[in-house]
Amino acid sequence: MSFVEYGDTIKDGDTAIVFLGHESMFPVKVQHGTVTQTKYGVIRHSTDLIGKKYGSRVTCSKGGWVFILHPTPELWTMNLPHRTQILYSTDISIITMMLELKPGSIVCESGTGSGSLSHALIRTVAPTGHLYTVEFHQQRAEKAREEFREHGVEHLVTVTNQDVCKNGFGVSNIADAVFLDIPSPWEAIGHAKSALKAEGGRICSFSPCIEQVQRTCLAMEEYGFTEINTLEILLRVYNVRTISLQIPDLGKAAEDNSSTGFDSSSPSNQGSLCANLQQGTVQFKSGVPLREMVGHTGYLTFATKS
């Protein structure tokens, strides 16, 4: 099993996603002899999971059932254990595009955090690219290494435990792109420029406060970055549902009929006249926004090394 390459069957040691519904799922490490408790009953890994195909419907001990899904970076973002605040798919998608990443790209990242963005970056640059990710916190760095190894992507990522603002990324002139998600990104702009290839590359900094953005932009200008721009991604979700609206009364039907030559004495037209006189409702599908939406998450500042 790998987050990069798809595996058809569930194997001992795999990370799988137990899907109970769109609002209810969780990851599980498949191990021989282990059981997992759900609201529908027990799932026995040895008999219910190992050897079954991903996407299979598994019946639990109480008679309910769940689906077992192959892990992807998107599913992992929704279900990973939070060691820090994470980036979600809305920001991840624009970061991947604006950094112009593709298979074979070399990316430097700091900090690693919970690994949400890291998994998406690894999937994007695979199979020949590489991610160099730096994490200041030692325990988080060790946990990230462990997860990358369990997820079958350790050959595509190098995890370093150090302070990127003081010691940089540990590489020079090899990166196509750099991503910063740290409290003081302006202190790491010089190291980011050194990590990027001599012929140029892209940089992105994620910051929740506009004051951080201001200082980062000034540092980017100081180090010669161009095309500096900041944006914010806001997501608004719509529900498609059936709604009912009253038919409007646009005037007396008799007056409308007389002006258009409508013959009310005709038996075939009497039914239509009665229907027009009756005020009712009509139903149709409509997109209705949710009453609550995700507000500000952070500012994304992009720039180019000339």
Side-chain angles (χ1 to χ4, degrees):
M1 183 279 303
S2 170
F3 276 58
V4 174
E5 299 175 356
Y6 181 79
D8 189 49
T9 58
I10 305 171
K11 298 181 176 61
D12 189 13
D14 282 3
T15 298
I17 305 297
V18 180
F19 181 88
L20 294 83
H22 290 288
E23 301 297 329
S24 179
M25 61 184 91
F26 59 89
V28 61
K29 183 175 181 180
V30 180
Q31 293 179 311
H32 185 78
T34 303
V35 298
T36 297
Q37 295 283 350
T38 75
K39 63 181 180 180
Y40 301 124
V42 173
I43 301 174
R44 295 174 175 82
H45 294 200
S46 301
T47 57
D48 297 332
L49 298 184
I50 297 176
K52 300 290 181 65
K53 289 188 175 182
Y54 279 106
S56 298
R57 192 173 78 169
V58 174
T59 302
C60 304
S61 61
K62 294 182 180 179
W65 47 267
V66 299
F67 287 105
I68 307 299
L69 305 182
H70 192 284
T72 65
E74 291 80 8
L75 288 174
W76 185 246
T77 291
M78 297 170 62
N79 295 281
L80 58 78
H82 285 229
R83 298 184 288 273
T84 60
Q85 282 280 32
I86 69 168
L87 291 178
Y88 290 93
S89 298
T90 307
D91 288 319
I92 291 173
S93 59
I94 196 69
I95 291 169
T96 303
M97 183 187 74
M98 294 293 287
L99 290 182
E100 302 175 4
L101 301 182
K102 59 185 181 299
S105 295
I106 306 297
V107 187
C108 291
E109 174 197 26
S110 182
T112 312
S114 301
S116 174
L117 176 64
S118 304
H119 283 80
L121 294 177
I122 291 170
R123 196 260 308 273
T124 302
V125 304
T128 56
H130 200 83
L131 171 66
Y132 294 90
T133 182
V134 178
E135 173 56 50
F136 175 79
H137 194 275
Q138 182 178 359
Q139 291 180 336
R140 287 201 294 262
E142 293 174 353
K143 186 61 179 179
R145 288 194 192 97
E146 179 184 343
E147 286 180 349
F148 293 142
R149 182 171 60 254
E150 291 179 352
H151 298 166
V153 297
E154 70 276 8
H155 61 292
L156 297 170
V157 57
T158 299
V159 182
T160 305
N161 171 220
Q162 64 186 28
D163 186 351
V164 69
C165 296
K166 295 181 179 179
N167 304 312
F169 293 93
V171 295
S172 299
N173 301 321
I174 66 169
D176 297 288
V178 171
F179 176 79
L180 298 174
D181 183 6
I182 54 178
S184 53
W186 56 90
E187 296 181 1
I189 299 300
H191 294 298
K193 184 177 181 179
S194 300
L196 289 169
K197 291 180 177 178
E199 56 268 31
R202 294 279 285 167
I203 183 175
C204 174
S205 174
F206 176 89
S207 297
C209 302
I210 196 64
E211 292 81 6
Q212 294 171 301
V213 174
Q214 292 171 333
R215 296 189 64 173
T216 302
C217 289
L218 291 174
M220 288 178 174
E221 289 181 345
E222 180 182 349
Y223 281 95
F225 283 89
T226 60
E227 300 179 335
I228 302 173
N229 66 89
T230 300
L231 51 87
E232 181 182 20
I233 308 299
L234 299 178
L235 178 66
R236 190 176 189 184
V237 179
Y238 281 76
N239 277 342
V240 177
R241 65 185 189 187
T242 302
I243 65 174
S244 298
L245 292 180
Q246 187 176 8
I247 300 174
D249 184 0
L250 302 178
K252 294 182 180 180
E255 294 177 357
D256 294 340
N257 294 337
S258 62
S259 63
T260 57
F262 185 87
D263 184 7
S264 60
S265 63
S266 172
S268 61
N269 291 334
Q270 289 179 355
S272 299
L273 180 60
C274 293
N276 290 334
L277 291 174
Q278 294 177 352
Q279 291 297 314
T281 60
V282 62
Q283 293 184 335
F284 61 94
K285 295 289 185 182
S286 176
V288 181
L290 299 180
R291 294 186 178 182
E292 297 181 356
M293 62 174 283
V294 177
H296 171 73
T297 58
Y299 300 103
L300 294 170
T301 301
F302 296 91
T304 303
K305 177 184 177 181
S306 302

